[in-house]
Amino acid sequence: MEFGKRVHNFIQGIAMLMMCVLMFFLPSDYGVEFIISIIAIWLVVYGIRLLHFYSSMARHMVGGKIIMILGFILFDFGIFSISISQKHTLYIILYLLGFYAFKAFVDIMRSFEQRKNNASGWELKMITGFINAGFAVFALITGVFLRSEGALVFIFAFGIAYSAIMRFVSAFRKTPAVLIL
């Protein structure tokens, strides 16, 4: 990994930890609104980034239209999240549940692929996938069955803290360099 990417991961990790600390000290009502704001802003910004990538480069690539469609879908989900933010917290619970479940599925599948290719680091990917699956189960139990907004804020804060720690690990991990002579 390049030095700039390492510094970028480290700075993102610090910002994520600051958000996590902020969510621990917010009351549960403001914490849920903060979560809604984070999710909505992230979806809108990521959708705009994908649309910009499509307009500048991906339209000339094979499969570039999928990037455009994904950009529109994420942008629409972000706008939809902003519009329902004052009415329904159940949708935010479903967003969290879907996010953690999808991330767990992707991490576990990537670890199987890395293991099949005899690549290093597949154990960490597998552990990350199971931890994200645990966050999804906790989000389901606290949000849908217990209807506890305070616990939901803590689960989201712990998820952000775990992601920040994993960013620190990836920033300081030695990566092999390929030398072509």
Side-chain angles (χ1 to χ4, degrees):
M1 184 182 307
E2 296 176 358
F3 180 74
K5 183 69 172 168
R6 289 180 192 273
V7 171
H8 188 261
N9 273 348
F10 186 76
I11 291 172
Q12 278 185 339
I14 289 174
M16 291 168 82
L17 281 179
M18 289 188 332
M19 283 187 347
C20 175
V21 168
L22 180 67
M23 283 196 300
F24 277 127
F25 293 115
L26 287 176
S28 64
D29 295 339
Y30 295 120
V32 171
E33 291 177 10
F34 189 66
I35 290 172
I36 293 169
S37 301
I38 288 172
I39 292 173
I41 291 170
W42 181 81
L43 286 170
V44 168
V45 168
Y46 194 62
I48 290 172
R49 277 184 58 199
L50 286 177
L51 290 172
H52 177 263
F53 177 66
Y54 170 76
S55 66
S56 64
M57 191 172 190
R59 63 183 167 164
H60 305 294
M61 296 170 30
V62 174
K65 291 202 189 295
I66 292 174
I67 293 173
M68 179 189 68
I69 292 169
L70 185 63
F72 278 126
I73 289 172
L74 289 177
F75 182 76
D76 288 343
F77 269 132
I79 298 298
F80 179 69
S81 300
I82 292 170
S83 68
I84 65 165
S85 64
Q86 299 297 326
K87 297 177 185 166
H88 304 289
T89 58
L90 180 65
Y91 292 120
I92 303 309
I93 294 167
L94 293 176
Y95 274 152
L96 284 177
L97 180 65
F99 171 74
Y100 284 125
F102 180 73
K103 182 118 175 68
F105 176 74
V106 167
D107 284 343
I108 291 172
M109 289 296 115
R110 280 187 181 166
S111 71
F112 284 141
E113 182 181 356
Q114 286 178 347
R115 184 174 160 211
K116 186 175 82 173
N117 294 332
N118 294 327
S120 63
W122 67 269
E123 298 94 354
L124 184 63
K125 230 7 145 181
M126 180 74 75
I127 291 170
T128 303
F130 284 129
I131 289 174
N132 282 327
F135 282 137
V137 169
F138 286 138
L140 177 70
I141 291 170
T142 60
V144 176
F145 297 126
L146 299 178
R147 301 269 184 193
S148 173
E149 292 181 357
L152 189 68
V153 171
F154 283 126
I155 288 172
F156 190 69
F158 280 123
I160 289 177
Y162 178 71
S163 296
I165 290 169
M166 293 310 294
R167 284 198 183 270
F168 290 143
V169 167
S170 70
F172 291 115
R173 183 186 318 166
K174 287 187 176 183
T175 54
V178 177
L179 180 63
I180 301 173
L181 297 174

